[in-house]
Amino acid sequence: MADAAFARPGAGTPTETWFHRHRRAIAPWLFLAPGVLFFLFYVIFPIFQSFEISLYKWDGLGEARYVGVENYQKLFKDRAFETSLWNNLKWLVLYLLAVPAGLFIAIFLNQTVTGIRLYKSLFFFPFVISQVVVGLVFTWFYDPTFGLLNTILGWLGTGPLNVLGDPTLVTYGIIVAGLWPQTAYCMILYLTGLNAVDPEQVEAGRLDGARGWRMLWHVVLPQLRPATFIAFVVTIIGALRSFDLISIMTDGGPFGSSRVLSFYMFEKALSEYGFRMGYGAAIAVVLFLIMLGFIAYFLWSMQREEREG
Amino acid sequence: MFPAPVHRTSPQWQLAYRTLLPLSVFMWLLPLIAVAVFSTRPAEDFTSGNYWGLPSSFEAVANYGRVFFDSDMPRYLLNSVLITVPTVVGAVALSCMTGFALGVYRFRANLWIFFMFVAGNFVPFQILMVPVRDLTLDLGLYNTRTGLVLFHIAFQTGFCTLFMRNFIRALPFALIESARVEGVSEFRIFRFVVLPLMKPAIAALAILIFTFIWNDYFWAVVLTQGSASQPVTAGITSFNAQYRAAYHLMSAGSIVAALPPVAMFFLMQRHFIAGLTLGAVK
């Protein structure tokens, strides 16, 4: 279609410049140039640079010393790294609860009673707030002396529970805080999806006697597939990116028990006790490789859609 | 419609549904409501341990007044605006062009460049952290708003290109074809045929990017420090350090920091949701 050799009447006459004749081949590159260059410099090249830095011992200021795979060998023996990796796995699995929870709320709210729009907005609300504020809100919610959680537990005759001070509970406590906005996000995806569900198919299902769960599973969910796909993508990415909440709520503590890779990397690279850029970069590379598996899968699915579309 | 509309069900269930709605919203937002209540309490309530009883006085004006006139908060808010607005403009402008190029032209590298943007948009920030911090230092832009803005524009271009390209793909291609037959130049097609049609996409993206950048915390702490350049998400930690244990002020500060994207959301709700859910339906 946009072929450079596309013969326009009058092409090749002396009044036409080279640019004019090839403009449909050149134009996309001119439009792309600023965006692509910017993106290459700030996003694509740094990925490779991080791979390189991970092979050095470097304090960020002085001379970097090549150490080969030593940083990676150290990772294997690093207990803190192991804890972070396990916590990342917990995040990944539990964060996905946002998808069914979002679907549940979306079904609950998919009605046409008066004021429903306001209710939908209010349920969506947590997603718009910055994670920093979500972190603060939940830190106070969990506070052992005045937090709402312990006040309620007190009424029920149990507690107090110091969620963020307990190494076994802390990660779960932070994940719950993270689920709050993430569920809101999945909910809005599903609300949009439910809006587009074919009413005729639902009615046909009703005539066939499908109700409740069976209707949801066999008629509605298949039509919600695009929403489910996006919900999974954003939730997995969100789980592996978790940083803000940990930094705000516990700063990795107590005793480093709530660290995840993204936080541990930051802590090592910009540590108060001297920067360890090489070691940090090695942690980042591991995180990147985990993410790469997911990214490859997402791109593969997208490419399949492109072919079909 | 799924589930069955409530008005077709029994009156008891209708009543139950109508009571459940406000109740569930109240439960859902409870942690936030608690903070909002805190922000109107006087300091004495916290020293006397009266956290959840009736407040001894209503001090919203005094508390929020101190946030605005007695702290660095206005500075941080201004920084946030000066970081967020240029980023929105820059990222949307760049992605209008890249989206147009990838949506309209067919050439061999098209899908590869598109996938580069998509994949780059998903990478963990940490893999970029050390090199980007280094690059910003080398450019002499460490601890400046400009340094932060440049990175944000570059990174957001990934997501924005994905968005714009898919939006342009859905436009009627015949329009562009007929303009070409008329001999309209490629740039003028972009400027006068496609760009006017992209207004809803631009609005949706602008509000989304505004929220993302306003709420960014990671890059703010990596690339800036101190009240001269830090946005409000990073500033709130210094604010909290300044007012340690003054929960009424910390609550008020958090609410102020969270408010601008919330206001934007309520003002431009339709665009926001249209942007966020693009691709959620076929």
Side-chain angles (χ1 to χ4, degrees), chain A residues 24 31 38-39 43 50 108 110-111 119 121 123-125 128 130 146 151 180 192 196 206 230 241 262 306, chain B residues 1-2 4-6 17 25 28 32 51-52 100 121 123 126-128 154 165 180 215 265 269 277 279 281:
Chain A
R24 245 181 250 175
F31 282 114
F38 236 87
F39 201 72
V43 182
S50 272
F108 175 63
N110 193 35
Q111 294 290 350
Y119 286 118
S121 306
F123 264 99
F124 184 63
F125 204 79
V128 193
S130 84
F146 64 81
T151 311
W180 195 45
T192 312
R206 260 190 203 120
I230 298 185
R241 271 197 184 153
S262 61
E306 289 285 318
Chain B
M1 202 176 147
F2 183 83
V6 133
Y17 184 73
V25 163
W28 181 246
L32 199 65
Y51 298 114
W52 297 108
F100 175 76
N121 166 50
V123 300
Q126 282 70 18
I127 192 89
L128 311 178
R165 181 260 194 193
R180 277 185 181 157
N215 290 342
F265 165 66
Q269 207 180 118
T277 56
V281 272

Side-chain angles (χ1 to χ4, degrees), chain A residues 70-88:
Chain A
E70 196 186 296
N71 285 327
Y72 293 95
Q73 284 168 337
K74 274 193 209 148
L75 279 184
F76 278 106
K77 284 175 258 158
D78 186 346
R79 288 294 304 275
F81 174 76
E82 201 186 311
T83 312
S84 311
L85 208 55
W86 273 113
N87 281 340
N88 259 124

Side-chain angles (χ1 to χ4, degrees), chain A residues 52-58 63-70:
Chain A
E52 197 195 339
I53 293 167
S54 74
L55 303 176
Y56 286 82
K57 193 181 167 89
W58 185 36
E63 203 62 18
R65 189 163 60 80
Y66 183 79
V67 292
V69 292
E70 196 186 296

Side-chain angles (χ1 to χ4, degrees), chain A residues 1-2 23-24 27-29 31-32 34-36 38-44 46-47 49-50 53 58 105 107-114 116-117 119 121-130 132-133 136-138 140-141 143 145-148 151-152 180 183-185 188-189 192-194 196 199 202-203 206 212 215-216 220 226-227 230 233 237 241 243-244 247-248 262 265-266 269-270 275 277 284-285 287-288 291 295 298-299 302-303 305-306, chain B residues 1-8 17-18 20-22 24-25 28-32 34-35 38 51-52 94 97-98 100-102 104-107 109 111 113-135 139 150-151 153-155 157-158 162 165 169 173 180 183-187 190 211 215 217-218 221-222 233 236-237 240 247 250-251 254 258 261-262 265-266 269 272-273 276-282:
Chain A
M1 174 186 48
R23 62 184 187 187
R24 245 181 250 175
W29 295 103
F31 282 114
L32 279 173
V36 168
F38 236 87
F39 201 72
L40 282 176
F41 268 97
Y42 268 109
V43 182
I44 303 299
I47 296 174
Q49 282 170 307
S50 272
I53 293 167
W58 185 36
I105 298 177
I107 290 173
F108 175 63
L109 290 178
N110 193 35
Q111 294 290 350
T112 46
V113 299
T114 34
I116 196 74
R117 275 195 48 181
Y119 286 118
S121 306
L122 288 173
F123 264 99
F124 184 63
F125 204 79
F127 180 75
V128 193
I129 304 169
S130 84
V132 172
V133 176
L136 289 171
V137 166
F138 271 85
W140 299 329
F141 180 74
D143 191 283
T145 54
F146 64 81
L148 200 53
T151 311
I152 294 169
W180 195 45
T183 302
Y185 191 176
I188 209 79
L189 289 170
T192 312
L194 281 172
V202 174
E203 286 311 315
R206 260 190 203 120
M215 172 80 89
L216 177 66
V220 177
I230 298 185
V233 171
I237 304 276
R241 271 197 184 153
F243 172 87
D244 301 6
S247 171
I248 293 290
S262 61
M265 182 273 165
F266 176 85
L270 300 178
F275 294 174
M277 296 292 190
V285 166
L287 181 61
F288 175 75
M291 197 86 105
I295 295 175
F298 299 152
L299 286 183
M302 277 179 66
Q303 188 226 355
E305 297 246 315
E306 289 285 318
Chain B
M1 202 176 147
F2 183 83
V6 133
H7 55 80
R8 274 205 244 150
Y17 184 73
R18 275 166 213 272
L20 265 176
L21 270 181
S24 56
V25 163
W28 181 246
L29 295 179
L30 197 57
L32 199 65
V35 173
F38 265 25
Y51 298 114
W52 297 108
L94 285 184
M97 296 196 290
T98 51
F100 175 76
L102 296 176
V104 169
Y105 300 92
R106 296 213 176 155
F107 52 101
L111 205 59
I113 295 178
F114 180 58
F115 280 171
M116 174 192 83
F117 280 121
V118 178
N121 166 50
F122 288 148
V123 300
F125 295 149
Q126 282 70 18
I127 192 89
L128 311 178
M129 187 187 107
V130 174
V132 167
R133 187 176 173 278
D134 219 36
L135 176 66
L139 291 171
L150 286 180
F151 172 77
I153 291 178
F155 193 82
T157 299
L162 165 69
R165 181 260 194 193
R169 273 278 156 103
F173 195 74
R180 277 185 181 157
V184 181
S185 80
E186 299 299 306
F187 179 76
F190 169 67
T211 310
N215 290 342
Y217 173 70
F218 181 76
V221 289
V222 169
T233 42
I236 188 97
T237 51
N240 286 353
Y247 288 100
M250 293 203 285
S251 305
S254 309
V262 171
F265 165 66
F266 276 103
Q269 207 180 118
F272 190 98
I273 289 172
L276 209 55
T277 56
L278 184 91
V281 272
K282 275 210 185 138

